[in-house]
Amino acid sequence: MRRSPSFVALVGNGLSVAANPELALDRLTRRLVAGNEELRRLVESTTTTDAATDFEIVIGHIEARLAEAEHVAVSLIAEEGLHTARALAFKSTAEALWGGLYLDYCGQVLNAICDLTTGALPRRVVAFGTWLRRMHRIHGQTAIYTLNYDVLLERLLFDGRGLKGEVSDLFSGLRDREEWVHPYPGCPPLLARPFDPVSAPPRAVRFHHLHGCVTYLEAVGTDDVLKLTHKAIREHNVFGEMKQLDTPRYRPCVILGSGKAERAAEYPFVHGFRALAEDAQSVSTLVIAGYSFRDEPVNVLLREAAQHAERVIVIDRREDPLDRARFQRDVSNLLSREILEWHLDGITGNIPLDAPRARTAA
């Protein structure tokens, strides 16, 4: 039976940036665009000044090209018949160009994230993981949500004296449902866990990648979603090999670019958003760390949670006084809540375990 958590944490890209500044979205996008001729031409053809530094804009333009190609192909088929060579050739060429570019870009983003999140972690980041675990011990039932594609939070929660045996991520479940898969021809069999929201064990910590993860793959044309290990993804260059295929069997299971609201309502992502909607009703302590508040489906659920929580903690890095004041005003308005605990010196574990008013009363 699913137990409602009293401690809920939402962690955004600020954690990744704290671990490695090169994971800032503008730096990551600039690096990838500079190394891809097709992407560079696409960016140069746009009128958006942020196109070269915002991967969501880049993905949005690629998705728009795919949609345009699909529209033209449908029109040609309607005018000339389903099997017209011109319509089929156009559709095939467009899908090969823009679909291949989409997969290539996704692969580059995810590979870069893999590369930039290995190695030792800064002390402040490790301390934040320790603080999360301590907060869980105080509350007993916890739900942790992240918008990041990397596995940094898994490292913080599981490594050393972590919570590995206490965490369920909807891929946990019956061991006999584990399977061996070949993500691309010639790949040795890799162990995978299927997405299994029904039989996931009711452990004390529930963990959700709301936008997917570098380790998640979905089978094209089916509802099958699998989780591989971070090590397997890296060692076998899964994304690099998949982008070479004309008709890949698998693709990254992530929400990238535009259409976030639509994708959030689709399988498998809808399960995470439904869980957050339920947890918003029971939360007593809500933590929002390293989140930019740019995702409206997430904002709606955070606003609901903030109305029920006794304690709301916002963690971010805002060094400029004017920027800090603007951020505090905007977040207070967005959450429709005046009383918030602010920790705006970056990701850290130097945060009180209990509410300041409780300590004062003692």
Side-chain angles (χ1 to χ4, degrees), residues 2-247:
R2 184 180 190 275
R3 297 178 62 184
S4 298
S6 60
F7 176 48
V8 174
L10 185 285
V11 182
N13 189 57
L15 175 66
S16 303
V17 175
N20 190 328
E22 290 302 313
L23 281 169
L25 296 182
D26 58 342
R27 295 190 188 184
L28 185 62
T29 305
R30 189 179 293 111
R31 167 182 168 181
L32 295 173
V33 170
N36 188 301
E37 182 63 29
E38 289 289 348
L39 283 175
R40 189 160 59 250
R41 284 203 295 264
L42 174 63
V43 167
E44 290 172 353
S45 69
T46 71
T47 57
T48 306
T49 56
D50 295 330
T53 58
D54 192 322
F55 79 91
E56 292 185 2
I57 293 177
V58 175
I59 287 291
H61 282 299
I62 296 174
E63 290 172 333
R65 297 295 196 278
L66 279 167
E68 291 170 6
E70 181 68 22
H71 176 73
V72 173
V74 168
S75 299
L76 287 172
I77 290 171
E79 293 174 4
E80 304 179 12
L82 180 62
H83 300 292
T84 173
R86 192 161 72 100
L88 294 178
F90 177 85
K91 190 171 188 294
S92 176
T93 301
E95 288 178 346
L97 174 60
W98 299 112
L101 189 57
Y102 178 84
L103 183 59
D104 184 35
Y105 187 62
C106 288
Q108 288 187 65
V109 170
L110 300 180
N111 273 330
I113 289 172
C114 286
D115 292 339
L116 295 171
T117 53
T118 56
L121 297 175
R123 290 182 179 179
R124 290 167 63 92
V125 172
V126 174
F128 176 70
T130 301
W131 180 79
L132 282 178
R133 295 197 298 270
R134 289 175 177 170
M135 290 292 284
H136 163 63
R137 298 299 183 204
I138 292 171
H139 291 80
Q141 290 293 320
T142 297
I144 298 177
Y145 297 84
T146 180
L147 301 171
N148 299 342
Y149 308 117
D150 56 52
V151 293
L152 277 175
L153 265 178
E154 284 91 327
R155 290 180 62 186
L156 295 177
L157 295 174
F158 300 162
D159 287 358
R161 299 177 181 179
L163 306 173
K164 189 170 185 177
E166 302 178 50
V167 177
S168 174
D169 65 356
L170 298 189
F171 288 88
S172 308
L174 305 175
R175 290 191 62 82
D176 59 7
R177 287 199 60 199
E178 293 179 343
E179 56 189 82
W180 295 90
V181 299
H182 302 268
Y184 56 86
C187 180
L190 304 180
L191 184 63
R193 289 180 178 270
F195 184 69
D196 187 15
V198 175
S199 61
R203 295 174 179 161
V205 181
R206 290 199 308 279
F207 185 83
H208 299 274
H209 276 279
L210 288 177
H211 287 171
C213 180
V214 294
T215 59
Y216 297 0
L217 298 179
E218 55 184 333
V220 177
T222 76
D223 286 335
D224 294 340
V225 178
L226 303 169
K227 181 177 75 171
L228 278 64
T229 66
H230 185 246
K231 181 179 179 181
I233 292 285
R234 286 179 54 82
E235 286 187 355
H236 298 282
N237 189 29
V238 169
F239 298 122
E241 293 291 339
M242 287 194 326
K243 74 180 182 182
Q244 305 298 328
L245 303 177
D246 293 332
T247 55

Side-chain angles (χ1 to χ4, degrees), residues 261-282:
E262 293 78 8
R263 288 284 277 161
E266 296 175 357
Y267 183 89
F269 308 106
V270 66
H271 286 278
F273 281 87
R274 284 176 179 170
L276 181 53
E278 293 179 18
D279 293 344
Q281 307 300 312
S282 65

